[in-house]
Amino acid sequence: MPERAIGVFDSGVGGLTVLKEMLRLLPGEELVYLGDTARVPYGTKSPHTVLRYAVEAASFLVDQRVKMLVVACNTASSVSLKALEERFNLPVVGVIEPGARKAVTLTRNGRVGVIGTEGTVASAAYTRAIHALAPDVEVYSAACPLFVPLAEEGWAEHPVAHLAAKEYLAPLVERGIDTLVLGCTHYPLLKNTLRQVLGEGITLVDSAEETSRSVAEMLACRDLPRPNPPGQTRFFVTDIPTRFVRVGGSFLGCPLDSVSQVSID
Ligand code: DGL
């Protein structure tokens, strides 16, 4: 079982921010990444639809005989974790709880901001996860839908991104948050812009980084680390790979060589 790969899925290219952190922290592991590029975005879809997509993506990975599932997509994590745990007899790590945990440890004034897709914000999954750990922390959320296309366009530090960030974040800044959870796969690419807009007083929580730490912890506590490093990574997508290869290379910071197209529905 420890020899097996870890399965990671996302709605598309964004989950590569999580994969990148996993490659850094767990270079000995085999990884299988699935981007559901035929049906992206998940962030504007209903919970019912996202849950169905998540089950189909996870089923594909389970068929690859993975030892663990990582739901890299915040929108999918916010609606599907319990269902995936119940359906597949495997450890499942999502991105919500790790980010929530870090935010609770970092906040000094008990006011935490969360940004994500419309679906993630509407689900209130981060709010629930934070309140489960620290009921008194005040959570203020904002959907930032333009950040996803800006990151994919390579405009994460463009003046347009600054303008959008100012508009989206103003209500959270007004509430006096001292910690901001980047609750979407794409947002780590906007860190510089967000830091400039927010200034030094607000700490950013990168869910991708926190998730890779949780994966490492889960592997260790289940005795699952792979004994024979180094590991390899295989990539699958549900639409033609052209765009995934182009945009994904910049998300991952290295070229994506072998990407296969599959059908999962
Ligand atoms: N991966 C999604 C997330 O983290 C963002 C892109 C989408 O809407 O599918 O919520």
Side-chain angles (χ1 to χ4, degrees):
M1 187 82 160
E3 275 296 337
R4 291 188 184 181
I6 301 173
V8 183
F9 78 86
D10 177 53
S11 54
V13 81
L16 294 175
T17 57
V18 176
L19 191 89
K20 187 177 178 182
E21 296 302 328
M22 289 175 63
L23 287 168
R24 222 160 46 88
L25 202 65
L26 303 162
E29 294 297 329
E30 295 268 348
L31 305 174
V32 183
Y33 182 94
L34 172 69
D36 192 6
T37 48
R39 305 190 288 195
V40 69
Y42 284 8
T44 51
K45 307 232 162 57
S46 69
H48 180 78
T49 298
V50 174
L51 176 59
R52 177 162 59 86
Y53 291 173
V55 169
E56 288 171 357
S59 300
F60 170 81
L61 292 171
V62 169
D63 288 346
Q64 306 299 307
R65 300 172 54 75
V66 296
K67 62 184 172 187
M68 177 190 283
L69 286 170
V70 177
V71 185
C73 178
N74 288 254
T75 311
S77 289
S78 68
V79 298
S80 70
L81 288 189
K82 219 167 154 265
L84 298 182
E85 265 159 9
E86 281 167 12
R87 192 173 178 125
F88 304 103
N89 191 20
L90 283 177
V92 180
V93 177
V95 284
I96 308 281
E97 213 271 335
R101 201 172 351 130
K102 185 70 177 181
V104 166
T105 62
L106 284 176
T107 184
R108 294 283 161 259
N109 70 2
R111 292 176 187 203
V112 171
V114 176
I115 54 175
T117 63
E118 289 167 70
T120 299
V121 169
S123 76
Y126 272 104
T127 309
R128 278 196 304 279
I130 291 171
H131 283 161
L133 298 162
D136 295 337
V137 168
E138 292 170 36
V139 185
Y140 302 101
S141 309
C144 305
L146 289 176
F147 285 173
V148 167
L150 284 168
E152 292 196 9
E153 194 62 27
W155 285 19
E157 297 183 18
H158 189 281
V160 172
H162 278 256
L163 209 60
K166 268 192 187 151
E167 287 286 328
Y168 284 141
L169 298 174
L172 302 185
V173 173
E174 262 170 42
R175 299 289 192 160
I177 60 160
D178 70 352
T179 306
L180 179 68
V181 181
L182 310 184
C184 174
T185 46
H186 292 59
Y187 298 179
L189 283 104
L190 284 113
K191 266 186 196 164
N192 286 342
T193 297
L194 296 172
R195 278 206 195 97
Q196 282 170 24
V197 168
L198 294 170
E200 292 301 310
I202 299 177
T203 311
L204 303 182
V205 175
D206 183 335
S207 285
E209 270 173 34
E210 299 312 320
T211 301
S212 64
R213 285 196 195 111
S214 289
V215 173
E217 281 165 23
M218 176 84 93
L219 285 173
C221 88
R222 307 247 176 159
D223 238 353
L224 284 176
R226 191 163 169 272
N228 301 313
Q232 282 182 344
T233 305
R234 286 177 289 148
F235 295 94
F236 296 93
V237 287
T238 54
D239 197 3
I240 54 163
T242 323
R243 183 180 159 84
F244 180 84
V245 169
R246 178 168 53 80
V247 179
S250 69
F251 271 50
L252 203 55
C254 64
L256 292 165
D257 7 80
S258 83
V259 181
S260 311
Q261 184 176 348
V262 290
S263 172
I264 62 167
D265 54 357

